[in-house]
Structure formats: structure tokens, C-alpha cells
Amino acid sequence: MPTSSTRIAEKYAEVILPLPIAGTFTYGIPAEMAPLLQRGCRVLVQFGRRKYYTGIIADIHPHPPKDYEVKPLMALLDPQPVIRFPQLKFWEWISGYYLCSTGEVMKAALPAGLKVESETFVSLNEDFDKGDADMKFSETQAIIIMALTEKKRLRVSELEKATGIANLGHAINRLLEIGAIEIDERAVEHYRPHTETMVAVCAERNDNDTLHSFFDLVGRSARQERLLVAYLEMSGWMRADEPLRDVEKKRLIEATGSTPAIFKALTDKGILRTYKKTVNRFNTGTASVTAPAVLSPAQNKAFREIDSAFRSNATVLLHGITGSGKTEIYTHLIDRVLADGNQVLYLVPEISLTTQLTDRLRRVFGDRLLVYHSKFSDNERVDVWKRLLDSRQPLIVLGVRSSVFLPFHHLGLVIIDEEHEPSFKQYDPAPRYNARDAAIVLASMHGAKTLLGSATPSVETYYKALNGKYALVSLEERFEGATLPDVEIVDMRAQRKQRINRGILSGPLRLATEEALKEGRQAIMFQNRRGFAPVVVCRECGWTPKCVNCDVSLVYHKNIAQLRCHYCGHSAPLPAVCPACGQNSIDIYGYGTERIAEEMHEAFSDYRVARMDLDTTRNKEAFQEIIEEFSKKETDILVGTQMVSKGLDFERVKVVGVLNADTLLNFPDFRSTERAFNMLEQVAGRAGRRAEKGKVIIQTTAPESEVLGFVKRHDYKGFYEAEIADRQRYRYPPFTRVVNIYLKHKDAATVDSLAVSYTMALRRTFGQRVLGPEKPYVSRVSTWYLQSVMLKVESEASMTKVKALLREIYIGMASDPRMKQAMLYYDVDPV
């Protein structure tokens, strides 16, 4: 890695570092680096005594800091900026609105492959005498020394893997104290460019004499001659008016049916040579494409209304019922924006949606489509980043929330599909941004238009559309004449009293599923809880297994025979006997998706069952496989969590079963009613999406619920009117803006008393706008105890001013010694 001298020019750089610390950090610019440095470039800097970080240049100026001596920039990592100026402005907005540092935004925005950070390496001290008779090692220390004797130098993570022992910190510190080992920090570049072996002919392009001599050399071998001719054709070598094209060795061999031995013969004769070339991991060639599908009259009317609305509004809400064909309208809008030479961001809430949409969009837009989400490797994400950075082509990016941070050049349109989805909200770590709201701001910074789409818009979005902030376009017909499914509410209390249900399935749901499967149709079973059984309890003494780190019960996962915490990931085996009373009396109750899938196998043994939840979709291929198999009817019943509710389009699904609506209805949160309606209406929309009418069966112990009545009637407007009246009565969004403030500490009593003190300080500034403190629904996560305070400010309030006031309160509390071990963070606009 290149390094700079320490001779400093009279210029200074403000550097953003990926740390939760407010502000930027000033570094001196070495004289030889000064002409090359630009805002947005990556630099390597030393922070503290031993840490190294990738930083981003935010500003360059001639003003030295007054209070300390600056360190020099260590290295310039790129000759050109890796982020554009509008991105820096966007980062500043995210930081200001969501009350976090710009460094935290940087950490979330940049792919890991673009971040060089220091890693700790451990090696043996060559001067240490391992044979010292007075020296006694513990078993762990001895294992560490044996591993380092063999491997010489290892990262801490590699050392833990080599020894099979986790948490080696204490043992490493002890060995360091006695001088047995040495540690050092090294800056590690994670990104590895992808290279391909290319082929060239060993002759100048116009040197026909040398070319004729090459053909003389291969004249006795038809296969060698065929390989040479193929190279000349593929590279365009003979067409002097065109630039030479790169030819991959692998593609050349495959195209000619040759072998590596034949290719080697040509290189041995000095006819062909190879060289390495860095290439993007994603194909940048032009794939064959087709025109967008013809719109129906209803779709065409909505398209024209959107087009007209964009002339006077920057943001439009498309309220289209489930199955109305919103995606086709999006496709026509994208086609026009790309034709104008602009780029498009198409946001979806779940990776599963990118899987199904990719094929549809690829058929129309070919290799102009880029896909970006967390299931891609770090190197793949960097390649997408670099393609957008280096290209001025009209491209479309299909991705989840992190896609808002990509370096767009000419952004012309942002589409946010299923805009109501909570999955657009980032929870941990900071920045706790909502990608929907951030994307609207991003579009405005680029002068682009924003289209929001949903069958069940969020209350805030619909309120803004009705009040003129957004334009509103409605699409109230399902595509190709399909009708909305019938919804039946089943009272599970009555089912159990009459002993009609068998296991998790009510009589009506079992019968409807049997009929659909016999007709060659498919069924979806929705349960918003993964695992095998959510409740494990001893029937003798009532013992239940709790997470050692969190205040939640462990969930049993049968396929791995483990109890697992869904908050921190802690796992433990299911005990054979109760650890409290010693009896063989442990029972499991309740249904997660794993147990439901097992029951479906038993109940419908002649049919194929698949499961789609977090446990079965750990990689990007798993999403693709599950969705493709169900689309091709290679499976008949799909059991899933909320993943199956979000915009998926399966034409053969006739029955959708909601196995337990109560888990959605009974949640202590002001958005719980909205969340329940949206999820139930969305999952119901997966049924009957073509000519044949579908059926939805919702199982509940609260059939009288008003929300279920709205779902049964597919009555979004009725739901909205009831919900907006409640929001106005109790002063919740959109009539106020909510900021949840969380305090965390390792000691429960300390966080309780600290929360009281902090709330009193808040009330002195904000008065009755402060509610709390109170313990969250889960009050301990990963050994940290939590307390929360709600701040409700007027919707028109300046978040910049709110942030300044909160900062003042925090500084005032900093003198309290309890704050030194506490953590405090903000969640703006929680969902």
C-alpha cells in the first residue's frame, strides 16, 4: 500500500471516519498528495496510537486546528473520489435528521470492501524462552502457543478458529504481559478485484506477413487453426476500422470446443499470449431484451395520470389494489426514464422481492439492470458501486434499503414499491433511517421524481396524498379481470370447543386447501413466527428456558435440535429433563413455521411443502430456489413468515391461510393496528391473482376485531378513516413527530435511575412532549438493560433545532458518572 512522507503542505483535510463520534477529524495533507486530493476520495489515516481507518475527504482548507498538532494523511487509496458530492450532502441530511454521526452514516453507506480497517494480528515473540522452567502455562495458553508455533502469525479470529476456543482475550492478554507473544495492527484491504485471463495474438494488427506465418505453423492441425481463426473473429482483429475487443481465454476455448492443451500449443509456438484484466463481476454487455408488455386500459389510465401528476408534483402515490399490475406501470415509467439517459432506483422491502422481480426486469432492460442487497458478497457490492461510479449509462438499480447510498450520476426516477413496509426502516445499528423517506429526499437532491406504490399505503403517506403534499393516483381493478379473494374469519375458540380443528388447521382451512390441491392449485400458509415451537415449558413446575443475554424465552428449532434466541442468537440444547425439578416433563407448545411445515407434510402427504423464513433463506440462492420451485409448481404448499406477504406474484395460488392473526392484533404499539391491517391485506392479496377467484381464511380467537372486518371487506379507506381519527385524538403521527430515546446499561438499577434523571432533564426543555420512562417490550438484549423515553414534537418542528437541544441535554448529563458506562441513542420516526 503506498504511503506518504510526513512533509505537510499548508492545507488540511476534514476527514469522515466510520465512528460514532460527532464531527469530522482534521489531518495534514502531505505536499506530494495535495495535487491529487479531492472531496470524496478515500484516504488511510491513523486514529489514536494503533488504529487505522479508511476515511472520506469531506473538505479541504488552509486553516490549521488551534488546540492540537495534526497527524498527516497516511495514503491516498484511490486516484478518483469513490463518492459524489451529492452523496456527502445526503449523508449530512441523514446524520442531521436521524440524530447520529456522519461517521455512522459512512459505515452504513460504504460496502465493507471499500473500508480498510486495522485488524489485530498475534505472533510469537522470538526472544521468549518457552522452555523456562519457572514458567507455567494454562491449557488455553499452551494451545495458543502451539497454534502460533505452527502458523507463525494469525488474526485473532483465525486463532480462535485454529484453537477451537472462543473469547481468547484474557489468555492473549496474559501471554502479552509475560512477553510470550506480540500483537500488531495491520491495515487490511478487503476488496479484491475480479480478474479474467484474456488472449491476444503475438502480432501487430496490420502485420499480415506475421499472421500468414502463424497460419503456416498451425497448418497441420485443424483444431489449432480453428482456435486461431476463432480468436481473430471474436476480437475483430481483421476489421481495422473497429477497436479490438477483449477475448476471454475461457470463452474462446468453450466456443471452439478446444482443450487447454490445444491452447497451450499455440502459446508455446508464440502465436497467442495471455494477460490478466480486471473486470466487473457483473456482465456489462448488451443482453437481448423485449419491449414492456402492453398495459391494460386501467393500467394505461393510471400511467397517464402519473405522467400528468409528475409535471406539478415531485412525489406521487400509486394506490393500487393487490394484483392490479403496478409492476407493469413501473416498467413503462422506467423504460421512458432510461430512454432519456437517466438512472432509476427501484426500492423493494425484502430481498425475496428482488429475486422475483429480477427475471421480469431483465427481460425488458437486459444488462442495464443492477441488483444490490446484503446477500451479495462484499466484492460483488463493490463492483456494483464502481459500475455506477464509473458509468454515465442509463442504469436501473433494484435493491433494498441500503441502495439509497449508491453513487448515482443522473438519477431521474425513484420507485418505492410496498412503501408501507416496516422493512424499509433500519433498526440497529445507526443510522436508524427509513429508506422510503430518505429516498424521497435523495430524489429531491437530484431533481428526480418519486413514485410510491402500495395496496395499503402507510397512514402518513395517504394523509399527505389526501392533503396535497403528494399527488394521488388510484388503480382499483385487478389485472386481466381477476377479482379480490373472499375472506373468511374462523373463530378458533369455537373450533376447539367443537373439536373440529386438527392441530393448527381449522376445519374450513383444511377443506379449502384439500380442494385447491386436488384442482392442481397451490396454497400459502402464513405464520409470523419462525422456529418449531415458541413455547417450551415444564408441565410440573412451570420452568421455561430463558436467554442468558436477553429477557425473552428461547424458541425450539427442531431441525437443529436447539433452543435459540431470536434477538442475540444464543443457542442451547433442549434438556432431556427439567433442570429445575428434574422431571421428564418438558413439553413444547405453539407453532412456528418449522412445525407448521411438518404438520402440512403429514396432513397433505401426497403434496410437496416448502418453507420460506429467515432460517431457510440464509443465502441469495435459497430465495431464488424456493420462489422458482413454487412458481413452477414444483412445490404445492408454501409455509412462510412475513416474507410471503410482500408483493410476490404466484398465478396458481387459490388459498391463503393466516394461521394465527392474534399475534398481529395484540401488540402494545400505536402502529399495531396499521401493521396488522397491512400485513393481513397484503398476504390475502397473494390469492386468486388470475381469472380464478381465491379464498383467504384467517384463524383467530378475536373474530369481532374491527381490523378483521376491514380486511374481510378489503376496505382500506374505512380502515384509514378510523385510524386517522385515533391518531389525531391521541396526537400521534402524522400530527406529531415521534423520537424514541433509548438508554442502555449493564446494570438494571443504574439504567432505571439514570432514565428518571434523563427524563427530568428532557422535561425541563420539552415539557409535556416527553412520555416515560418505561421499559421496552423486551427490556434486556445482549446483556444490556434498556429504558425508553418517547418525545413527541410538532410535525413542523425543525429536526436541526431538536437535535441541538438534545445535544445540550446530553452534554449536561455527561457529568453524571453513570453516563460513562451507559449508551444513549435515538430512533426518529419509529415504525
Side-chain angles (χ1 to χ4, degrees):
M1 182 177 294
T3 58
S4 62
S5 73
T6 56
R7 189 166 59 90
I8 306 296
E10 293 183 359
K11 281 191 176 181
Y12 300 87
E14 293 301 318
V15 180
I16 303 169
L17 296 182
L19 300 170
I21 304 173
T24 55
F25 300 86
T26 306
Y27 285 84
I29 302 175
E32 62 273 26
M33 198 184 293
L36 305 174
L37 214 57
Q38 302 176 59
R39 277 192 298 186
C41 283
R42 287 191 310 155
V43 290
L44 184 67
V45 300
Q46 184 179 2
F47 187 79
R49 294 181 61 188
R50 308 181 70 170
K51 289 289 185 181
Y52 305 94
Y53 289 102
T54 299
I56 296 291
I57 301 295
D59 194 17
I60 299 171
H61 60 81
H63 310 296
K66 297 178 181 179
D67 302 329
Y68 59 91
E69 184 178 348
V70 297
K71 294 177 181 177
L73 299 174
M74 295 183 65
L76 177 63
L77 299 177
D78 301 287
Q80 299 295 328
V82 297
I83 68 169
R84 303 183 190 279
F85 178 70
Q87 285 176 279
L88 283 173
K89 302 300 292 182
F90 184 56
W91 289 10
E92 289 172 7
W93 179 85
I94 293 270
S95 170
Y97 187 83
Y98 291 104
L99 306 178
C100 62
S101 73
T102 313
E104 289 172 306
V105 181
M106 172 194 166
K107 192 166 186 176
L110 285 183
L114 288 179
K115 288 178 281 196
V116 178
E117 294 188 10
S118 59
E119 291 189 6
T120 303
F121 288 83
V122 183
S123 57
L124 284 178
N125 181 356
E126 295 181 0
D127 297 328
F128 181 73
D129 183 7
K130 298 191 291 291
D132 189 336
D134 296 329
M135 188 63 63
K136 293 182 179 179
F137 296 113
S138 70
E139 182 180 354
T140 300
Q141 292 167 357
I143 292 173
I144 291 173
I145 288 176
M146 288 175 61
L148 292 174
T149 301
E150 181 180 347
K151 299 289 187 179
K152 303 299 183 188
R153 185 171 177 273
L154 293 168
R155 294 181 177 90
V156 173
S157 58
E158 293 171 337
L159 188 57
E160 289 181 346
K161 186 176 181 181
T163 60
I165 304 172
N167 302 319
L168 290 176
H170 179 75
I172 288 174
N173 286 337
R174 176 59 185 149
L175 290 171
L176 190 63
E177 288 172 5
I178 63 177
I181 63 171
E182 296 174 335
I183 64 171
D184 63 287
E185 298 282 336
R186 295 289 179 90
V188 178
E189 175 81 74
H190 295 286
Y191 175 64
R192 295 291 181 269
H194 181 62
T195 60
E196 291 284 356
T197 302
M198 301 294 180
V199 181
V201 68
C202 300
E204 295 296 327
R205 194 166 189 184
N206 297 318
D207 187 355
N208 292 324
D209 291 339
T210 300
L211 185 62
H212 287 148
S213 70
F214 288 165
F215 276 103
D216 291 338
L217 289 173
V218 298
R220 295 186 178 183
S221 173
R223 291 188 295 179
Q224 291 180 20
E225 185 177 58
R226 184 164 63 246
L227 192 66
L228 177 57
V229 170
Y231 166 78
L232 296 173
E233 290 177 350
M234 293 169 72
S235 66
W237 201 87
M238 301 299 293
R239 293 186 287 276
D241 57 332
E242 297 180 9
L244 276 175
R245 294 188 292 270
D246 291 313
V247 178
E248 293 179 17
K249 174 185 172 182
K250 180 172 62 176
R251 192 160 65 92
L252 177 62
I253 291 175
E254 289 175 353
T256 56
S258 301
T259 65
I262 296 171
F263 182 86
K264 186 175 183 300
L266 290 177
T267 59
D268 289 345
K269 292 177 180 179
I271 298 173
L272 296 179
R273 62 179 178 86
T274 61
Y275 62 97
K276 293 286 186 180
K277 182 180 179 181
T278 299
V279 297
N280 197 288
R281 286 174 172 82
F282 298 94
N283 182 16
T284 59
T286 303
S288 59
V289 296
T290 59
V294 176
L295 296 178
S296 69
Q299 289 172 325
N300 194 48
K301 178 174 179 290
F303 176 81
R304 285 186 277 105
E305 289 178 359
I306 293 168
D307 185 40
S308 176
F310 273 150
R311 293 169 192 164
S312 55
N313 294 83
T315 304
V316 175
L317 169 64
L318 174 59
H319 180 202
I321 63 172
T322 57
S324 57
K326 294 185 289 294
T327 304
E328 290 303 334
I329 295 174
Y330 301 158
T331 303
H332 280 257
L333 287 167
I334 293 166
D335 191 50
R336 191 175 65 184
V337 171
L338 295 181
D340 291 339
N342 294 319
Q343 295 173 338
V344 178
L345 171 60
Y346 188 155
L347 280 179
V348 292
E350 288 279 359
I351 295 172
S352 57
L353 286 181
T354 67
T355 300
Q356 193 173 54
L357 282 169
T358 296
D359 291 341
R360 293 178 66 175
L361 296 175
R362 187 80 71 194
R363 286 195 293 269
V364 178
F365 303 111
D367 290 326
R368 290 180 293 175
L369 173 68
L370 303 176
V371 183
Y372 189 84
H373 55 67
S374 60
K375 296 295 182 182
F376 285 118
S377 70
D378 289 336
N379 287 332
E380 288 172 322
R381 277 181 279 171
V382 172
D383 277 348
V384 173
W385 186 286
K386 286 180 175 291
R387 173 129 187 239
L388 278 167
L389 192 67
D390 299 338
S391 173
R392 294 175 179 266
Q393 288 180 285
L395 299 169
I396 168 177
V397 174
L398 173 64
V400 293
R401 58 175 179 257
S402 59
S403 304
V404 297
F405 295 116
L406 286 166
F408 294 98
H409 191 265
H410 288 296
L411 188 61
L413 175 66
V414 174
I415 295 171
I416 306 167
D417 197 18
E418 310 295 347
E419 66 81 27
H420 64 278
E421 273 294 337
S423 299
F424 281 125
K425 175 73 171 179
Q426 163 75 14
Y427 292 99
D428 280 310
R432 295 170 178 85
Y433 66 101
N434 189 312
R436 175 198 62 199
D437 300 336
I440 293 172
V441 172
L442 176 71
S444 69
M445 288 180 171
H446 283 265
K449 303 296 184 182
T450 303
L451 180 63
L452 306 166
S454 177
T456 56
S458 70
V459 169
E460 288 97 321
T461 297
Y462 201 67
Y463 176 83
K464 290 174 182 176
L466 292 181
N467 286 275
K469 185 169 184 179
Y470 302 156
L472 176 63
V473 175
S474 297
L475 183 58
E476 299 179 350
E477 293 180 19
R478 274 194 150 187
F479 186 62
E480 294 183 343
T483 56
L484 288 169
D486 293 329
V487 178
E488 180 180 352
I489 311 296
V490 176
D491 185 350
M492 292 303 287
R493 293 172 302 183
Q495 289 278 308
R496 288 166 189 149
K497 282 181 183 178
Q498 300 169 26
R499 298 185 178 179
I500 298 174
N501 70 299
R502 289 163 58 187
I504 189 66
L505 295 179
S506 63
L509 180 54
R510 178 183 289 271
L511 181 61
T513 304
E514 287 175 350
E515 290 176 352
L517 294 175
K518 287 177 182 176
E519 294 170 4
R521 299 299 178 182
Q522 294 170 294
I524 290 177
M525 300 295 155
F526 168 71
Q527 173 77 329
N528 203 28
R529 191 185 292 271
R530 62 189 173 97
F532 186 80
V535 180
V536 179
V537 64
C538 173
R539 63 177 178 271
E540 294 294 331
C541 70
W543 171 86
T544 59
K546 296 281 188 179
C547 177
V548 297
N549 303 316
C550 313
D551 279 342
V552 293
S553 299
L554 299 177
V555 176
Y556 179 55
H557 289 249
K558 187 176 180 181
N559 66 324
I560 57 174
Q562 291 278 311
L563 296 164
R564 178 164 289 178
C565 174
H566 288 177
Y567 282 81
C568 71
H570 170 75
S571 62
L574 180 69
V577 297
C578 175
C581 67
Q583 299 298 308
N584 182 17
S585 52
I586 294 178
D587 288 333
I588 55 176
Y589 299 99
Y591 289 84
T593 49
E594 184 184 353
R595 187 174 189 178
I596 293 165
E598 187 175 286
E599 281 209 4
M600 289 294 166
H601 277 294
E602 295 173 0
F604 305 101
S605 56
D606 294 334
Y607 299 94
R608 297 152 297 187
V609 179
R611 177 163 60 100
M612 188 164 77
D613 55 28
L614 188 62
D615 296 324
T616 60
T617 54
R618 295 287 181 184
N619 58 64
K620 62 184 177 183
E621 288 80 15
F623 279 110
Q624 187 79 25
E625 290 170 7
I626 293 169
I627 289 172
E628 281 188 0
E629 287 172 0
F630 196 65
S631 296
K632 296 175 181 176
K633 207 179 177 303
E634 294 173 6
T635 52
D636 303 292
I637 302 171
L638 181 62
V639 177
T641 56
Q642 59 183 343
M643 291 179 183
V644 303
S645 72
K646 300 179 181 180
L648 295 172
D649 184 21
F650 301 118
E651 63 180 35
R652 297 183 182 89
V653 174
K654 185 176 181 181
V655 172
V656 168
V658 178
L659 300 174
N660 185 5
D662 299 349
T663 57
L664 302 174
L665 299 173
N666 304 320
F667 200 81
D669 179 72
F670 78 89
R671 293 189 192 275
S672 61
T673 304
E674 177 185 9
R675 201 157 36 234
F677 175 83
N678 287 351
M679 194 170 291
L680 290 171
E681 182 66 16
Q682 288 287 337
V683 76
R686 301 316 105 204
R689 294 175 70 89
R690 296 298 184 269
E692 190 174 4
K693 195 177 185 71
K695 185 158 191 175
V696 180
I697 297 174
I698 300 176
Q699 300 181 166
T700 179
T701 60
E704 68 285 350
S705 167
E706 186 180 29
V707 174
L708 295 181
F710 291 131
V711 174
K712 183 178 176 65
R713 298 188 297 274
H714 301 291
D715 183 10
Y716 173 80
K717 292 180 181 177
F719 156 75
Y720 169 79
E721 289 168 1
E723 182 67 11
I724 201 70
D726 282 345
R727 297 281 185 93
Q728 187 168 24
R729 185 179 303 118
Y730 298 110
R731 302 299 296 165
Y732 278 113
F735 303 101
T736 56
R737 178 173 285 143
V738 171
V739 180
N740 282 341
I741 306 169
Y742 292 93
L743 283 157
K744 298 168 68 174
H745 199 282
K746 293 287 187 178
D747 181 71
T750 300
V751 78
D752 290 349
S753 62
L754 192 58
V756 171
S757 300
Y758 186 74
T759 303
M760 291 172 63
L762 284 170
R763 285 208 175 98
R764 285 193 288 271
T765 299
F766 293 102
Q768 296 305 308
R769 299 177 183 87
V770 180
L771 304 176
E774 66 176 4
K775 291 183 178 180
Y777 181 67
V778 178
S779 60
R780 186 170 67 111
V781 176
S782 298
T783 73
W784 289 86
Y785 292 90
L786 282 79
Q787 282 278 357
S788 68
V789 184
M790 179 182 285
L791 175 62
K792 289 202 291 188
V793 298
E794 292 76 7
S795 57
E796 63 274 9
S798 164
M799 287 306 293
T800 303
K801 186 174 181 180
V802 169
K803 183 177 183 179
L805 292 171
L806 289 171
R807 181 68 182 167
E808 288 178 13
I809 294 168
Y810 176 78
I811 292 171
M813 288 289 296
S815 59
D816 189 326
R818 296 171 298 177
M819 289 293 288
K820 292 186 184 298
Q821 282 77 42
M823 292 177 61
L824 184 145
Y825 64 90
Y826 310 97
D827 185 7
V828 180
D829 299 337
V831 298

